[in-house]
Amino acid sequence: RATPQRKGLIKSIEHNRKLIEDYWKAFEAVDVDAAMHAFSDDAVYENTSLGQAAHGKENIRTMWSEWFGGTAAGSFTTTLDHVVIGEDGFALEWTVTAKLDGTIGDTTGSSAGSFEVRGSSVGTIANGLITGNRDYSNMASAVAAAAG
């Protein structure tokens, strides 16, 4: 029989799972506005591979808009391979594919170059929202696509 603490933990994890599912669906759909609903106003988003960090929801929105602006329309797809959800955080393993058509971080190229990036995201959740996200990925394919 579940104790009140266990019931609270289960409810918290269920909420966090729904939060991350909705967030990922928005990310997959390249819907930056919908994805921003998952973040706290003071969230920090780091892309360690690109050396980028955005502090605050509006700066995260700008960073994501720039990323998606660097890919050819309709070319962005994702696969979510593994998901781990806890009471106060999450870990995701994912693959992103797209065609480079502009600039993502320091990488610039044309739509001739497709790329695939495998990576993981580790994040924190507080008060029902994502407060931190750190992405770790292999950008070698994107750099090669940019090189032509």
Side-chain angles (χ1 to χ4, degrees):
R1 185 175 166 157
T3 65
Q5 289 93 353
R6 176 115 174 104
K7 287 180 182 178
L9 176 63
I10 291 169
K11 185 176 180 182
S12 174
I13 291 172
E14 287 173 355
H15 174 271
N16 292 350
R17 180 170 303 283
K18 175 79 168 110
L19 174 74
I20 297 303
E21 285 173 0
D22 291 347
Y23 159 67
W24 193 261
K25 285 177 188 174
F27 177 72
E28 188 172 47
V30 190
D31 187 343
V32 175
D33 290 332
M36 290 305 107
H37 291 293
F39 288 92
S40 67
D41 289 339
D42 61 349
V44 176
Y45 195 105
E46 296 179 70
N47 184 316
T48 63
S49 300
L50 296 175
Q52 295 178 323
H55 299 266
K57 187 187 289 192
E58 291 310 310
N59 290 325
I60 295 169
R61 178 190 312 277
T62 298
M63 184 170 70
W64 276 29
S65 295
E66 290 172 359
W67 289 347
F68 290 132
T71 61
S75 71
F76 187 84
T77 63
T78 68
T79 303
L80 192 54
D81 300 310
H82 297 285
V83 178
V84 178
I85 305 292
E87 181 180 14
D88 60 358
F90 63 93
L92 311 172
E93 183 180 12
W94 44 261
T95 304
V96 167
T97 58
K99 288 186 178 181
L100 190 60
D101 192 16
T103 301
I104 300 176
D106 293 332
T107 304
T108 301
S110 69
S111 60
S114 294
F115 65 90
E116 177 179 282
V117 175
R118 290 190 63 220
S120 59
S121 301
V122 179
T124 53
I125 299 172
N127 300 317
L129 295 169
I130 298 170
T131 56
N133 186 101
R134 292 167 310 286
D135 286 347
Y136 304 91
S137 61
N138 180 348
M139 293 293 291
S141 177
V143 172

